[in-house]
Amino acid sequence: MEGEQQSSGILRSMDAEQLREHAHKMVDFIADYYKTIESFPVLSQVQPGYLEKLLPDSAPDYPETLEHVLNDVQEKILPGVTHWQSPNYFAYFPSNSSIAGFLGEMLSAGFNIVGFSWITSPAATELETIVLDWLAKALKLPHDFHSTGQGGGVIQGTASEAVLVVLLAARDKILRTVGKDALPKLVTYASDQTHSSLLKACQIGGLNPELCRSLKTDASTNYALSPEVFSEAVSRDIASGLIPFFLCATVGTTSSTAIDPLPELGKIAKVKNIWFHVDAAYAGSACLCPEYQHHLNGVEEADSFNMNAHKWLLTNFDCSLLWVKDRSALIQSLSTNPEYLKNKASQGNMVIDYKDWQIPLGRRFRSLKLWMVMRLYGLEGLRNHTRNHINLAAYFEDLVGQDPRFKVVTPRTFSLVCFQLLPPANTEDTNKLNRDLLDSVNSTGSVFITHTVLSGQFILRFAVGAPLTEQRHVDTAWRILQEKATALLGSL
């Protein structure tokens, strides 16, 4: 029977030789994809519901060949893919992949462990602790954030998960002091530029949505949170009998990469006993470079710090890095200890069980890919990776500055340029003009950019960060922007 199965070519659940044969084909397919990635429209041009028309309405009863499946990927799936790794992708923020990240992901998939506690795979827990300490040292985070201090690092899925777990830890910590009945009085603070994941965390955490303060910013501070505005809000709330407990500051906001003043905000938070979280999801990678490290000055005042290795550090999604100063706050909030998970190492407090540092129980061996990225590129290789993108963004900023029809809206700090097409004298609708320019550029399929709104103005964002992007791709994007601008202005 076994011989019949082999001769018929049926794919078994896991067979070493079949894996070798099929994985080679898959690697070839992926390598060919990257070789031809520039030929695809960056932004998928399909219409909603396109795939339903192309695929059968029920699963196959009998096995199909890998060749058949890959043909469908080529013909039916790829048209519906927006190519985040395309060198012509300048939207949102980057989501880097790399050979090292891919190899680490492959190895993790091969082992397929579920490493929720130390005993379920000691290497998974210990490697995670080690690589997070490596990066804490490279970022010059205070010793409290290291595993040898009172805190330590953990890999979350996304920055949204990171802010949620520290918000819950902060919530429970303050409620242990003021009593659980005080939950409706708890106040969180952030600027109006803070990522929307904080508001979602507040919703999940059962906080009063009216007490999630979104503090106004403007161009006078380059959209950074003013310490005076924060301090006044805290004083007002205390006077009203409310309980300030959580502040989220950002190093590199989504809209414009604004940098909140960490030292000043941190000092206020400390005096008022407010948990201080720093979100550097995007810009944290750049802060590995000595010339950008000063943007983390004041992180010593923080209770938690987060950056996404999967954004700009050549580590495939998902890999969000969170450090806390006091791991006991996290564990007290998130720990469960059912009988079926008990073991000597955990009961004896000899090990870290990362299940108690996160929302789900199960967790993948994500530290493998981060470890491989750090070893195969080295810190200096990673620094040069971000420097290259920052230089390309500075080059694009210069191009914008040379065309009087455009203006740069906020100062460029990292690899994001915020800019606008200026309307001619006979029209004032700047927002419509820039919205039309965005649609016109993205409809070409040759480049993909996104937008934001600052002070009521519709602003175009050009984020350099795809691993394959070179100067020629920036030149092409700028040429398309100029051509579409010329056509739009000519039609007015």
Side-chain angles (χ1 to χ4, degrees):
M1 186 71 175
E2 182 69 21
E4 284 176 21
Q5 271 197 331
Q6 279 184 322
S7 62
S8 66
I10 291 173
L11 198 64
R12 290 177 293 286
S13 57
M14 187 53 80
D15 172 271
E17 292 312 313
Q18 282 191 328
L19 173 65
R20 193 186 316 277
E21 177 193 344
H22 287 78
H24 279 159
K25 289 176 183 174
M26 184 60 79
V27 169
D28 283 343
F29 183 89
I30 294 168
D32 287 341
Y33 165 70
Y34 274 96
K35 205 170 182 178
T36 59
I37 196 168
E38 286 189 60
S39 65
F40 298 105
V42 191
L43 177 63
S44 173
Q45 304 293 304
V46 301
Q47 296 301 310
Y50 91 100
L51 196 55
E52 191 178 23
K53 303 182 184 78
L54 300 178
L55 294 183
D57 59 6
S58 59
D61 287 317
Y62 299 101
E64 300 179 49
T65 64
L66 177 63
E67 285 77 11
H68 189 189
V69 174
L70 289 181
N71 283 341
D72 275 355
V73 172
Q74 189 76 44
E75 294 168 16
K76 299 169 184 175
I77 302 300
L78 278 179
V81 169
T82 290
H83 301 276
W84 283 64
Q85 305 309 313
S86 168
N88 298 306
Y89 179 97
F90 301 104
Y92 304 112
F93 277 138
S95 179
N96 284 180
S97 67
S98 67
I99 294 171
F102 177 75
L103 294 175
E105 193 74 83
M106 188 188 288
L107 196 55
S108 177
F111 291 150
N112 200 33
I113 61 108
V114 186
F116 47 83
S117 59
W118 178 86
I119 199 170
T120 59
S121 234
T125 294
E126 296 191 16
L127 186 63
E128 186 158 335
T129 303
I130 288 164
V131 294
L132 270 290
D133 277 348
W134 281 4
L135 270 171
K137 288 171 187 169
L139 288 163
K140 295 193 170 17
L141 297 183
H143 182 256
D144 285 346
F145 285 115
H146 298 210
S147 65
T148 49
Q150 295 299 307
V154 57
I155 301 177
Q156 303 285 340
T158 65
S160 302
E161 291 173 48
V163 75
L164 172 59
V165 296
V166 295
L167 182 87
L168 297 178
R171 178 199 67 182
D172 294 348
K173 185 180 180 183
I174 195 78
L175 291 179
R176 283 193 291 274
T177 302
V178 299
K180 290 186 177 179
D181 292 345
L183 179 63
K185 295 181 177 180
L186 299 187
V187 191
T188 66
Y189 303 87
S191 87
D192 56 6
Q193 301 298 304
T194 301
H195 195 273
S196 60
S197 58
L198 175 61
L199 185 57
K200 181 180 277 194
C202 291
Q203 291 171 339
I204 296 169
L207 298 167
N208 182 346
E210 292 177 12
L211 300 184
C212 298
R213 304 283 187 233
S214 178
L215 304 176
K216 189 170 172 50
T217 60
D218 58 40
S220 68
T221 60
N222 292 325
Y223 300 96
L225 176 57
S226 158
E228 292 75 25
V229 169
F230 171 55
S231 183
E232 287 165 12
V234 170
S235 297
R236 265 197 315 273
D237 286 332
I238 292 172
S240 302
L242 300 172
I243 304 170
F245 88 106
F246 190 85
L247 165 66
C248 179
T250 308
V251 177
T253 57
T254 302
S255 281
S256 66
T257 65
I259 298 165
D260 291 336
L262 305 187
E264 296 87 344
L265 294 171
K267 285 183 175 68
I268 298 166
K270 191 177 231 172
V271 169
K272 301 296 185 183
N273 194 31
I274 295 170
W275 184 294
F276 183 31
H277 176 63
V278 175
D279 173 6
Y282 157 73
S285 299
C287 295
L288 285 170
C289 303
E291 64 270 31
Y292 293 100
Q293 213 144 43
H294 66 277
H295 293 302
L296 296 185
N297 289 351
V299 75
E300 62 275 5
E301 305 287 352
D303 295 283
S304 49
F305 173 79
N306 169 236
M307 65 163 277
N308 286 349
H310 63 237
K311 271 194 167 66
W312 204 11
L313 208 66
L314 292 174
T315 308
N316 294 39
F317 187 83
D318 56 348
C319 192
S320 184
L321 314 179
L322 172 67
W323 288 269
V324 290
K325 254 187 187 166
D326 175 14
R327 56 180 170 265
S328 67
L330 210 54
I331 293 166
Q332 280 182 275
S333 193
L334 299 170
S335 176
T336 54
N337 194 26
E339 187 62 37
Y340 50 81
L341 295 183
K342 290 179 181 176
N343 61 84
K344 282 182 184 176
S346 297
Q347 300 306 105
N349 286 323
M350 296 181 284
V351 295
I352 290 174
D353 286 338
Y354 279 124
K355 70 179 178 64
D356 300 329
W357 298 45
Q358 61 172 24
I359 301 298
L361 173 66
R363 61 199 327 268
R364 300 191 301 118
F365 199 166
R366 286 178 292 216
S367 56
L368 261 181
K369 60 188 172 187
L370 184 59
W371 183 57
M372 291 188 75
V373 164
M374 293 176 75
R375 291 191 64 188
L376 293 176
Y377 298 119
L379 288 172
E380 201 52 34
L382 294 172
R383 291 180 186 118
N384 289 333
H385 171 69
T386 53
R387 282 175 181 137
N388 176 50
H389 289 143
I390 291 168
N391 291 338
L392 288 174
Y395 172 73
F396 179 79
E397 182 184 38
D398 287 343
L399 294 175
V400 174
Q402 290 165 26
D403 188 331
R405 301 175 302 170
F406 289 85
K407 74 168 180 180
V408 174
V409 177
T410 59
R412 181 199 53 77
T413 307
F414 303 107
S415 69
L416 173 70
V417 180
C418 292
F419 67 107
Q420 247 186 348
L421 176 61
L422 299 170
N426 61 341
T427 175
E428 290 183 358
D429 200 345
T430 310
N431 286 355
K432 182 181 186 308
L433 181 65
N434 281 276
R435 194 177 285 113
D436 290 346
L437 179 57
L438 180 77
D439 292 342
S440 182
V441 166
N442 285 342
S443 67
T444 66
S446 301
V447 64
F448 180 28
I449 61 173
T450 48
H451 79 281
T452 190
V453 173
L454 294 170
S455 300
Q457 291 287 301
F458 190 93
I459 308 293
L460 303 179
R461 296 169 76 262
F462 189 88
V464 184
L468 294 171
T469 300
E470 299 171 6
Q471 185 175 314
R472 64 187 175 91
H473 301 108
V474 175
D475 285 331
T476 298
W478 179 235
R479 191 188 73 245
I480 292 169
L481 275 158
Q482 285 187 306
E483 287 171 358
K484 296 300 182 184
T486 300
L488 272 174
L489 294 172
S491 68
L492 292 175

